[in-house]
Amino acid sequence: MAMTERVARLRQQSLDAVPSISAERARLMTEFYQQSQGLCSAPVRRAWAFRYLLEHKAIYIGEGELIVGEKGNVPKATPTYPELCCHSLADLEILHSRGKIPFAVSPETRQLYADVVIPFWRGRSMRDLIFDEMADGWKAAYEAGVFTEFMEQRSPGHTVLDDKIYYMGLLDFQQKIDASLAGLDYLNDPEAYAKQEQLKAMRVAAGALIRFAKRHAEGARELARQEKDPQRKRELEKIAAVCSRVPVHAPRGFWEALQYYWFVHLGVTIELNPWDAFCPGRLDQHLYPFYERGLADGTLTRDYAEELLQCLWIKFNNQPAPPKVGVTAAESSTYTDFAQINTGGLRADGSDGVNPVTYLLLDVIEEMRLLQPSSSVQVSKKSPDRFLKRAARIIRTGFGQPAIFNADLIVQELIRQGKSVADARNGGSSGCVEVGAFGKENYNLTGYFNMPKVLEITLHNGVDPRTGRQLGLETGDPRQFASFADLFGAFVRQLNYFIEIKVRGNNVIERLYARYMPAPFLSLMIDDCIARGKDYHDGGARYNTTYIQGVGLGTVTDALTAIKYHVFDRRALSMDELLAALQGDFAGHERMRQMLLNRTPRYGNDDDYADAVMQAVFEAYYQAVDGRPNTKGGTYHVNLLPTTVHIYFGSVTGATPDGRRGGAPLSEGVSPVQGADRKGPTAVIRSVAKMDHARTGGTLLNQKFTPALLQDEDGLDKLAQLVRTYFKLDGHHVQFNVVDAATLRAAKENPERYRDLIVRVAGYSDYFCNLGEALQDEIIARTEHESF
Amino acid sequence: MSAFCEGALFSVLPMGGIIFDIKRFSVHDGPGIRTTVFFKGCPLRCQWCHNPESQRVRRELMVWRERCIGCGACVSLCEQGVAVPDRVRGEGCILCGQCVDGCYAEARQMVGREMSVQEVMAEVERDIAFYDESGGGVTFSGGEPLLQPTFLYALLQACQAKEIHTAVDTCGWADWAVLDCVRPHVDLFLYDLKLIDEVAHRRWTGRSNDRILDNLRRLSAFGQRIILRVAIVPTINDDAQSVRQIGSFAAKLPGLERVDLLPYHRAGAEKYTRLARDFSLPGIRPPTKEKMAEIARVFTALGLQVKVGG
């Protein structure tokens, strides 16, 4: 279906809206805390704060909207969370004026911050508390760029919703709370009081969202009264009816289901600013019953369902991720808040999850072509080929969506982590690539971990060469190492040392959030917080996972391989010569650099020599992290993904033995170093699949293609076959970057970084960088002319 | 197997051959995802050839001037004292490869390397999972694979033993006896046809097409699976008469699976410079889409299955 005039207009409005800082939430939150001075439990105070926000924030019902509700006062007006991170005036100026990912900050907002927000919150936010509590070793490693800290500006909250809101209204939730309260055992359970406070808070939070929806109903009714256009008048009356029905009660139809979800989404993201915002998860599964029923009883058509979904998509796009500054901005430099709508996958009984709504969602994804929400297809061996090919047709249009996940492997990963089979099958991927048991798990990502930096520190006997500070252990002068095993052993010791620093920090931060910043509303939504009477931040969820995301796998693998190969095996290079060249960023050693780049077995070429090093690095990282207890009754696991942190981590990491110059980006995800893979996608897939993805909670693989390679049915088949084979080899995720002319131009300028780029030349394909200049220009010109 | 096969040609144990490239994820040389093994050496000298480095059997030096970092290693390593950084071969070069080994920036590359059957198969077998999923396999191309018949025969047998689908991309210029030997081990022939006119063929490729056409008829008569591949080169075989002749010839081949019309492209032009050779057809431009469609219609009208592009 073509976009309706309404959708086209709302979509354009969303695209045109300039992201700005809305001071409303900061003002209301400050007002609330100023007025709320007396003693009360932390969860109850947070629930009252939530209620205050929802009672007083402006209601926005835009012209022509069908799904209503905004986080700010207008689209893309982005709230701040001063209780978590109190921006300084300098921060506001940076947000306002930076070149990438800016947020307009009005003079009034700055004034409010100067007069009210900053005086109240400075030194009292979670961010201040966290930095106060971290040990010196943690701070030194953090400042050096060994790891980042997700919770320094945002709350934990990486989770996704299941199907509970589609059969339970908030009144039902309150009944469950009451039952839980009634069952508290004050005689034997020393935590009974704490649970009582938590449950009371959750009850208040549920009521707050009900009130918020009612305010939208009242607003819509008022607009309807004034509306002259009879059709819009009817729509506004319908909006009022929908907002009166949900979220108080369970939804009866498709529209109510979407609006209910959207209220919950707003509730979760207004309460706090959880990382990798919340999303409806397996939306095709959740909506299918409403869709079928609507078509059967004549209350819905496919076109109208599509239009409603498009309106929901625009709502997602209207909400930029909370403004980030400093390292957090560097590691996640994007407006996207990582809501990832899943399609396909498996049902709880293990049957194929693809249904008519799956295809409807894929149509919406293709037509909307928006940054948010992100989308994925969950491909199991049971998924029909047409589902994968439908996704490939969208991928071909070149906006990087949907990402493709291996549903069977995700189930295996979740079961290995201890989830029940049904919970695993109802799970999926979220954020970038992270797996979770939707609606039942707190799977918190806590920060990226810079593996190449750890190698750099190892090569300097514990010293960070950038600052000369002794950051790590003294594991020995590498010039004295007799074998690669000595070096690798030292690397593993440093790795464990820094992981322990990070874990210790995490375990304090988890407690700080549990104690000072409970999330009663989010807790309503995640099993078994109500049953346990515990907060989401305090182990209330059925499953509690803490992740540390490994970064730079390709770079550290190639760097270690280069040392193993040239220094220890071939003895073509002494450790001393290598270290001297690294010290000087290869100045005067270009020939050596070329040798390291071109004459070393490298990860991504299905070369067992290099891939064995990758396996060893993975094993070391896995052993360092996996299975450690967190403070919520759960355990640590690993995943491997970077968002944009490989750029930041690269900027703080000097020249590496793989021939990478100091400051250059690290490799991303589990992908090979940019340009190192020269044997095509099957070799990349084989290399990457030598890692045991089943023991991770998500890995990210990027592949590039030009649109021409995928132009015909045959190309789509090949793409689907590549994916199926990767998944047969137990790969977790792959995304296809269908490159445009700009990328090709960059590849022409910096061939070293794009050696892996394959283009279709004429009746055959070749590496772009291997083509002569004239032909490169011809292909660039051709690519520019290919319309998406 | 004919006595000939068991006799002279294949009595010597096969062992190795000269290969100039092995390309994985090859998706235009037969069905599915394939690995294409490029044999070095070709009996023809098609003037439009886009793989000039495939023509000679012996190894050759290729120089990518733009990659040279000026380290001078080639000069200092050359025992003949003839290597020049930005020149392909100095007078007196014996192709020892020392300069190539020392050229870490990969500005100097040796085209062609001796490989054993085991080495080639080790590479080919790596992507079996992809062949299985896609109905792919291995394609032996070149150059001309039939020019190294014992090597090809051994590879085909090795593939068959592993149940790997085989395709042979050939120009057809070979002794029938050779083709007859390998034939039972080939699942699909990709048979190149350039011109029907003998004089023109000789002029543009350096050889008569007698045995090419003859071999094609015979293969077809044996019921081999054949896809005909016709490179459409403007001014050489895109005229109405040439097209009609090729079409009529193809239409008489029983059981021909399809004709692939491959538009000429200039991707190879720069390779001539890297090999320090002259490209004799610099002025030819690729055929237009319209022209390709027009030619395709001629073939279709003759009742042939046609595909534009490989």
Side-chain angles (χ1 to χ4, degrees), chain B residues 201-215:
Chain B
H201 196 277
R202 194 184 284 277
R203 174 179 170 205
W204 292 111
T205 72
R207 298 271 190 188
S208 162
N209 59 5
D210 289 354
R211 64 192 334 195
I212 295 174
L213 299 179
D214 192 42
N215 286 340

mmCIF file of all heavy atoms in Angstrom, chain B residues 201-215:
data_model
loop_
_atom_site.group_PDB
_atom_site.id
_atom_site.type_symbol
_atom_site.label_atom_id
_atom_site.label_comp_id
_atom_site.label_asym_id
_atom_site.label_seq_id
_atom_site.Cartn_x
_atom_site.Cartn_y
_atom_site.Cartn_z
ATOM 1 N N HIS B 201 37.078 -15.160 -37.124
ATOM 2 C CA HIS B 201 37.516 -15.810 -35.887
ATOM 3 C C HIS B 201 39.037 -15.847 -35.817
ATOM 4 O O HIS B 201 39.646 -15.510 -34.794
ATOM 5 C CB HIS B 201 36.948 -17.235 -35.807
ATOM 6 C CG HIS B 201 37.022 -17.830 -34.440
ATOM 7 N ND1 HIS B 201 38.162 -18.431 -33.963
ATOM 8 C CD2 HIS B 201 36.109 -17.911 -33.431
ATOM 9 C CE1 HIS B 201 37.944 -18.854 -32.727
ATOM 10 N NE2 HIS B 201 36.701 -18.557 -32.372
ATOM 11 N N ARG B 202 39.603 -16.224 -36.929
ATOM 12 C CA ARG B 202 41.069 -16.293 -36.982
ATOM 13 C C ARG B 202 41.673 -14.903 -36.755
ATOM 14 O O ARG B 202 42.644 -14.739 -36.009
ATOM 15 C CB ARG B 202 41.474 -16.837 -38.356
ATOM 16 C CG ARG B 202 42.911 -17.282 -38.478
ATOM 17 C CD ARG B 202 43.193 -17.701 -39.909
ATOM 18 N NE ARG B 202 42.645 -19.010 -40.249
ATOM 19 C CZ ARG B 202 43.274 -20.170 -39.972
ATOM 20 N NH1 ARG B 202 44.435 -20.170 -39.373
ATOM 21 N NH2 ARG B 202 42.725 -21.309 -40.301
ATOM 22 N N ARG B 203 41.034 -13.923 -37.359
ATOM 23 C CA ARG B 203 41.571 -12.565 -37.250
ATOM 24 C C ARG B 203 41.552 -12.050 -35.798
ATOM 25 O O ARG B 203 42.503 -11.468 -35.317
ATOM 26 C CB ARG B 203 40.754 -11.630 -38.140
ATOM 27 C CG ARG B 203 41.176 -10.183 -37.970
ATOM 28 C CD ARG B 203 40.410 -9.232 -38.865
ATOM 29 N NE ARG B 203 40.720 -7.870 -38.440
ATOM 30 C CZ ARG B 203 39.928 -6.847 -38.636
ATOM 31 N NH1 ARG B 203 38.781 -7.011 -39.273
ATOM 32 N NH2 ARG B 203 40.279 -5.653 -38.202
ATOM 33 N N TRP B 204 40.440 -12.294 -35.097
ATOM 34 C CA TRP B 204 40.275 -11.674 -33.776
ATOM 35 C C TRP B 204 40.783 -12.531 -32.630
ATOM 36 O O TRP B 204 40.977 -12.038 -31.523
ATOM 37 C CB TRP B 204 38.798 -11.327 -33.527
ATOM 38 C CG TRP B 204 38.301 -10.231 -34.427
ATOM 39 C CD1 TRP B 204 37.398 -10.364 -35.444
ATOM 40 C CD2 TRP B 204 38.699 -8.864 -34.406
ATOM 41 N NE1 TRP B 204 37.195 -9.155 -36.070
ATOM 42 C CE2 TRP B 204 37.982 -8.211 -35.447
ATOM 43 C CE3 TRP B 204 39.573 -8.108 -33.632
ATOM 44 C CZ2 TRP B 204 38.125 -6.849 -35.720
ATOM 45 C CZ3 TRP B 204 39.719 -6.750 -33.897
ATOM 46 C CH2 TRP B 204 39.001 -6.136 -34.945
ATOM 47 N N THR B 205 40.937 -13.848 -32.884
ATOM 48 C CA THR B 205 41.361 -14.718 -31.771
ATOM 49 C C THR B 205 42.685 -15.423 -32.044
ATOM 50 O O THR B 205 43.239 -16.063 -31.158
ATOM 51 C CB THR B 205 40.315 -15.825 -31.485
ATOM 52 O OG1 THR B 205 40.371 -16.787 -32.539
ATOM 53 C CG2 THR B 205 38.915 -15.276 -31.375
ATOM 54 N N GLY B 206 43.116 -15.341 -33.305
ATOM 55 C CA GLY B 206 44.391 -15.960 -33.644
ATOM 56 C C GLY B 206 44.291 -17.431 -34.026
ATOM 57 O O GLY B 206 45.293 -18.058 -34.347
ATOM 58 N N ARG B 207 43.092 -18.004 -33.968
ATOM 59 C CA ARG B 207 42.927 -19.420 -34.299
ATOM 60 C C ARG B 207 41.671 -19.610 -35.156
ATOM 61 O O ARG B 207 40.710 -18.848 -35.038
ATOM 62 C CB ARG B 207 42.722 -20.265 -33.028
ATOM 63 C CG ARG B 207 43.848 -20.245 -32.055
ATOM 64 C CD ARG B 207 44.844 -21.327 -32.378
ATOM 65 N NE ARG B 207 45.800 -21.431 -31.262
ATOM 66 C CZ ARG B 207 46.894 -22.189 -31.307
ATOM 67 N NH1 ARG B 207 47.165 -22.892 -32.402
ATOM 68 N NH2 ARG B 207 47.707 -22.239 -30.278
ATOM 69 N N SER B 208 41.695 -20.672 -35.922
ATOM 70 C CA SER B 208 40.487 -21.069 -36.653
ATOM 71 C C SER B 208 39.464 -21.604 -35.625
ATOM 72 O O SER B 208 39.839 -22.078 -34.553
ATOM 73 C CB SER B 208 40.832 -22.177 -37.639
ATOM 74 O OG SER B 208 39.645 -22.838 -38.038
ATOM 75 N N ASN B 209 38.186 -21.537 -35.992
ATOM 76 C CA ASN B 209 37.165 -22.068 -35.070
ATOM 77 C C ASN B 209 36.685 -23.463 -35.463
ATOM 78 O O ASN B 209 35.706 -23.961 -34.920
ATOM 79 C CB ASN B 209 35.985 -21.100 -34.959
ATOM 80 C CG ASN B 209 35.332 -20.844 -36.297
ATOM 81 O OD1 ASN B 209 35.696 -21.460 -37.302
ATOM 82 N ND2 ASN B 209 34.367 -19.935 -36.319
ATOM 83 N N ASP B 210 37.391 -24.115 -36.415
ATOM 84 C CA ASP B 210 36.939 -25.427 -36.887
ATOM 85 C C ASP B 210 36.670 -26.410 -35.752
ATOM 86 O O ASP B 210 35.594 -26.952 -35.591
ATOM 87 C CB ASP B 210 38.007 -26.056 -37.807
ATOM 88 C CG ASP B 210 38.085 -25.332 -39.133
ATOM 89 O OD1 ASP B 210 37.230 -24.431 -39.347
ATOM 90 O OD2 ASP B 210 38.993 -25.644 -39.928
ATOM 91 N N ARG B 211 37.699 -26.625 -34.958
ATOM 92 C CA ARG B 211 37.546 -27.660 -33.915
ATOM 93 C C ARG B 211 36.659 -27.184 -32.777
ATOM 94 O O ARG B 211 36.026 -27.988 -32.090
ATOM 95 C CB ARG B 211 38.915 -28.122 -33.406
ATOM 96 C CG ARG B 211 39.668 -27.031 -32.719
ATOM 97 C CD ARG B 211 41.131 -27.320 -32.439
ATOM 98 N NE ARG B 211 41.552 -28.702 -32.304
ATOM 99 C CZ ARG B 211 42.725 -29.049 -31.791
ATOM 100 N NH1 ARG B 211 43.572 -28.121 -31.370
ATOM 101 N NH2 ARG B 211 43.078 -30.297 -31.706
ATOM 102 N N ILE B 212 36.581 -25.856 -32.588
ATOM 103 C CA ILE B 212 35.684 -25.323 -31.545
ATOM 104 C C ILE B 212 34.242 -25.699 -31.870
ATOM 105 O O ILE B 212 33.511 -26.232 -31.024
ATOM 106 C CB ILE B 212 35.833 -23.783 -31.440
ATOM 107 C CG1 ILE B 212 37.238 -23.416 -30.958
ATOM 108 C CG2 ILE B 212 34.755 -23.196 -30.550
ATOM 109 C CD1 ILE B 212 37.546 -21.931 -30.950
ATOM 110 N N LEU B 213 33.863 -25.461 -33.131
ATOM 111 C CA LEU B 213 32.485 -25.747 -33.536
ATOM 112 C C LEU B 213 32.242 -27.259 -33.581
ATOM 113 O O LEU B 213 31.191 -27.745 -33.158
ATOM 114 C CB LEU B 213 32.203 -25.118 -34.913
ATOM 115 C CG LEU B 213 32.352 -23.589 -34.961
ATOM 116 C CD1 LEU B 213 32.067 -23.071 -36.366
ATOM 117 C CD2 LEU B 213 31.424 -22.908 -33.958
ATOM 118 N N ASP B 214 33.247 -27.945 -34.041
ATOM 119 C CA ASP B 214 33.135 -29.391 -34.127
ATOM 120 C C ASP B 214 32.967 -30.025 -32.737
ATOM 121 O O ASP B 214 32.086 -30.867 -32.512
ATOM 122 C CB ASP B 214 34.410 -29.925 -34.809
ATOM 123 C CG ASP B 214 34.227 -31.380 -35.205
ATOM 124 O OD1 ASP B 214 33.134 -31.717 -35.707
ATOM 125 O OD2 ASP B 214 35.168 -32.178 -34.972
ATOM 126 N N ASN B 215 33.807 -29.594 -31.818
ATOM 127 C CA ASN B 215 33.726 -30.116 -30.444
ATOM 128 C C ASN B 215 32.373 -29.811 -29.802
ATOM 129 O O ASN B 215 31.810 -30.627 -29.071
ATOM 130 C CB ASN B 215 34.845 -29.517 -29.580
ATOM 131 C CG ASN B 215 36.203 -30.125 -29.902
ATOM 132 O OD1 ASN B 215 36.288 -31.208 -30.473
ATOM 133 N ND2 ASN B 215 37.267 -29.422 -29.538
#
